[in-house]
Amino acid sequence: MRFSDMFASPLLMQIVLRAMVVGVLVSLCCALLGVNLVLRRFSMIGDGLSHVGFGAIALAAVCGLSQWELEFTLPVVIVAAVLILRMSERSHTQGDAAIALLATGAVAVGSLLYNYSPQRNADICNSLFGSASVLTLTDKDLILSLVLSAVVLALFVLCYHKLFAITFDEVFARATGVHTQAYKTLLAILTAVTIVLGMKLMGAIMISGLVVFPAMSAMRLCKSFRGVVLCSGGLAVVCFVAGFFTACRLSWQTGPTVIAVHTLVFVLVSAGSALAASRLLRRKKV
Amino acid sequence: MALIQCRDLSLAYDGRVVESGVSFSVPQGDYLCIVGENGSGKSTLMKALLGLIRPAGGSITFGEGLHQTEIGYLPQQTQIQRDFPASCFEVVLSGRLNRRKGRFFYHKADRDAARRTMDTLGIGDLARRCYHDLSGGQQQRVLLARALCATQKLLLLDEPVAGLDPVVTQELYALIRRLNDEGLTVIMVSHDMTAVAEDAKHVLHLAHKPLFYGNTFDYLHSGVGRRFTGRDGNALF
Ligand SMILES: Nc1ncnc2c1ncn2[C@@H]1O[C@H](COP(=O)(O)OP(=O)(O)O)[C@@H](O)[C@H]1O
Ligand SMILES: [Mg+2]
């Protein structure tokens, strides 16, 4: 498919547009939730959940539930998210190890299950690195991502101050009467939904990049929590659109291209802030 | 009626008792120091006062209209993330969270109160600075400002001077003393016996159970106090 062809037919255009809207919304949700996860040192949660999602999709495919993939995968990953949260609460090292266990276990089972799928290698490749074509996204994906992003945005706008308090100092937040447990569970569930939604487009291996990269880049650019949240969301949208069009243009896979753009931005921003810091240091010495 | 009254309190983690038989009361305007060796349950007692852990036995009663969520708390240093991207103003403002019942956003009054508190503590010019770029002493002041924003009656300070240099330590003590003089009730965990001797009105010495509870003068002349301070109590006066 050539780039200009995409806009030639209304049907194709609609499909591309749908994929882009889903991608932008998922990127935005990932980035907002990512600020919270990264700062609470839960970066690996996105990675772990996507691997669990991979296992669940494999199971769905083998059981012939491919058209119910979303309905099947969502509850599995949500349960995994809540489990990981509980375990890491009990002890930090155990939580860390629990994510690794769940992730590798699910991938092992998932890839074994794909032995019973007719197009084994293509399926594995698609679920790990994202669909080569954007045709696989359905209206169901679109509606769910609209609902999800509405919930995530509402949470971040209305409960922004509570989220800040919980992320910065959970004990203090609890002491002032915030129901931290409820918020943490909600965040875990929203993360699970976001990951499952994003997996189809981005691939299981790539999706956690959407969670971690924008927050990490934003933290190098901004010094306040508000700044980091806004910047993270903004970067996520810009990088996704840039990556998406590049991928269409060059017929690359969407997931790796978008993450490559994020990586590039991160490297540039890190270099820039390192340079600025060293210049500041030199000016102070003089 | 006292602000806080603890009766025969016992505290436990997963059934393992950390301390028991703790009874004391904190009248309005008091300055209570909690001392004891590491692991003797001081921080645990603080958490129980804040309602973060449920007592395994005994009771904690609040009086004088004090609500449990309206206590200003300065946590022990180890719990706070030192590299968090937040402006000092954001941190201080988060102390007003408990006043926003049923509201989603802060009022101008909240922002003004946060600004005023920072000015009072001499950190008004740090408002826009990033929290993790500050020195240890400045960070403690920011956290103290946050605690002050959360309360009008009672401050709980858990080893507020740990890791600070002597000059900054003295400044922080002077600040806490001033706040206490202005009518704020203070409960402080401290290892610094000079501060205890100079500032505290009452002392609670914990070692999994209370070894001493009473006023500071009696403590310094008691057997426990003399042993713990490692000097003759008389020399202090
Ligand atoms: N979250 C926890 N879970 C289990 N045990 C704990 C926990 N926090 C503290 N303890 C234990 O409780 C005891 C008292 O701890 P703590 O109150 O922090 O002592 P202090 O503040 O006096 O140094 C210690 O033996 C410690 O190991
Ligand atoms: Mg302690």
Side-chain angles (χ1 to χ4, degrees):
Chain A
M1 177 170 65
R2 296 234 323 275
F3 190 61
S4 50
D5 292 346
M6 261 172 24
F7 302 97
S9 114
L11 183 67
L12 211 57
M13 172 116 171
Q14 198 193 345
I15 290 170
V16 170
L17 215 58
R18 180 166 64 199
M20 200 175 88
V21 170
V22 171
V24 164
L25 293 179
V26 165
S27 294
L28 188 62
C29 293
C30 277
L32 293 180
L33 295 167
V35 172
N36 183 280
L37 291 177
V38 167
L39 288 173
R40 278 166 56 209
R41 313 201 190 289
F42 271 140
S43 301
M44 287 309 288
I45 214 172
D47 206 42
L49 291 181
S50 60
H51 287 66
V52 173
F54 171 81
I57 288 178
L59 194 60
V62 172
C63 298
L65 294 170
S66 278
Q67 72 272 45
W68 301 108
E69 194 179 277
L70 207 56
E71 287 84 345
F72 185 80
T73 319
L74 264 180
V76 174
V77 178
I78 288 177
V79 168
V82 175
L83 265 182
I84 289 176
L85 185 69
R86 289 275 174 290
M87 281 198 252
S88 60
E89 220 122 81
R90 211 156 299 155
S91 109
H92 234 49
T93 40
Q94 291 238 353
D96 220 34
I99 295 178
L101 292 184
L102 268 175
T104 43
V107 170
V109 173
S111 36
L112 287 178
L113 283 175
Y114 269 123
N115 282 326
Y116 298 95
S117 150
Q119 329 125 323
R120 173 166 179 272
N121 286 332
D123 277 354
I124 289 193
C125 203
N126 275 347
S127 46
L128 282 181
F129 299 106
S131 312
S133 83
V134 294
L135 296 168
T136 50
L137 286 177
T138 61
D139 277 334
K140 211 156 55 182
D141 294 310
L142 180 66
I143 292 167
L144 190 55
S145 57
L146 282 172
V147 173
L148 170 78
S149 45
V151 174
V152 171
L153 283 178
L155 181 73
F156 269 81
V157 171
L158 296 180
C159 304
Y160 169 81
H161 295 290
K162 280 184 183 162
L163 289 184
F164 169 77
I166 293 168
T167 319
F168 179 68
D169 186 350
E170 192 191 323
V171 175
F172 185 87
R174 206 141 54 89
T176 50
V178 180
H179 299 291
T180 54
Q181 199 59 44
Y183 281 96
K184 279 180 354 191
T185 310
L186 181 63
L187 285 169
I189 291 173
L190 289 175
T191 308
V193 179
T194 311
I195 299 271
V196 170
L197 258 176
M199 263 176 65
K200 219 179 203 180
L201 191 62
M202 299 291 295
I205 290 192
M206 296 295 138
I207 186 72
S208 62
L210 283 191
V211 175
V212 182
F213 269 116
M216 291 301 283
S217 300
M219 278 163 67
R220 273 162 185 69
L221 287 174
C222 302
K223 292 287 177 200
S224 71
F225 188 69
R226 177 187 295 264
V228 169
V229 169
L230 293 177
C231 180
S232 179
L235 275 179
V237 172
V238 170
C239 288
F240 182 83
V241 173
F244 187 77
F245 278 115
T246 312
C248 288
R249 176 112 227 193
L250 304 175
S251 296
W252 289 354
Q253 300 105 307
T254 316
T257 316
V258 171
I259 298 302
V261 173
H262 271 296
T263 313
L264 187 68
V265 168
F266 177 72
V267 169
L268 289 179
V269 165
S270 302
S273 71
L275 205 69
S278 74
R279 197 172 288 168
L280 200 70
L281 207 65
R282 213 172 320 133
R283 205 182 315 148
K284 264 186 194 160
K285 271 185 192 153
V286 170
Chain B
M1 174 98 200
L3 267 188
I4 292 187
Q5 174 104 47
C6 287
R7 284 192 202 87
D8 199 25
L9 193 65
S10 61
L11 302 172
Y13 288 109
D14 305 320
R16 198 174 57 83
V17 175
V18 172
E19 62 211 283
S20 57
V22 182
S23 300
F24 62 91
S25 73
V26 184
Q28 192 135 34
D30 197 8
Y31 193 139
L32 171 69
C33 266
I34 301 176
V35 298
E37 285 161 28
N38 286 329
S40 57
K42 305 181 297 293
S43 297
T44 307
L45 177 59
M46 295 293 224
K47 285 184 192 148
L49 294 179
L50 291 161
L52 300 176
I53 54 176
R54 211 181 285 273
S59 68
I60 306 173
T61 342
F62 296 89
E64 309 270 1
L66 179 68
H67 197 276
Q68 195 164 37
T69 58
E70 291 168 357
I71 299 174
Y73 175 47
L74 184 70
Q76 201 167 354
Q77 291 206 328
T78 49
Q79 295 174 350
I80 306 254
Q81 302 190 31
R82 293 271 149 201
D83 55 352
F84 196 95
S87 72
C88 295
F89 186 67
E90 286 179 311
V91 175
V92 175
L93 189 63
S94 71
R96 298 281 297 190
L97 208 57
N98 55 1
R99 316 249 164 137
R100 275 180 355 152
K101 298 209 172 61
R103 281 188 284 138
F104 285 120
F105 305 102
Y106 290 116
H107 281 325
K108 186 166 177 297
D110 295 314
R111 290 170 200 286
D112 289 346
R115 228 166 262 130
R116 222 174 320 116
T117 312
M118 293 186 85
D119 287 338
T120 322
L121 299 194
I123 49 171
D125 53 334
L126 299 180
R128 305 188 64 132
R129 289 273 300 279
C130 182
Y131 176 76
H132 73 70
D133 289 343
L134 302 183
S135 70
Q138 288 171 325
Q139 286 186 340
Q140 283 304 82
R141 276 179 188 235
V142 170
L143 296 183
L144 182 61
R146 177 183 69 164
L148 284 173
C149 276
T151 193
Q152 286 169 318
K153 297 199 174 96
L154 176 63
L155 263 187
L156 291 195
L157 312 167
D158 197 345
E159 303 196 22
V161 298
L164 302 185
D165 69 54
V167 178
V168 178
T169 298
Q170 288 314 314
E171 282 172 7
L172 202 64
Y173 281 139
L175 206 58
I176 297 167
R177 193 183 312 135
R178 202 182 79 208
L179 291 166
N180 180 242
D181 289 341
E182 287 166 6
L184 204 63
T185 312
V186 176
I187 301 181
M188 178 169 80
V189 172
S190 180
H191 286 299
D192 188 340
M193 294 317 285
T194 336
V196 173
E198 282 172 9
D199 293 341
K201 293 173 184 163
H202 290 95
V203 177
L204 172 66
H205 190 130
L206 280 180
H208 307 296
K209 60 181 176 13
L211 287 186
F212 179 91
Y213 171 64
N215 70 38
T216 308
F217 186 84
D218 292 345
Y219 176 68
L220 295 170
H221 292 81
S222 69
V224 202
R226 278 177 149 140
R227 242 173 291 126
F228 198 63
T229 50
R231 58 184 162 187
D232 186 9
N234 289 316
L236 285 164
F237 291 94

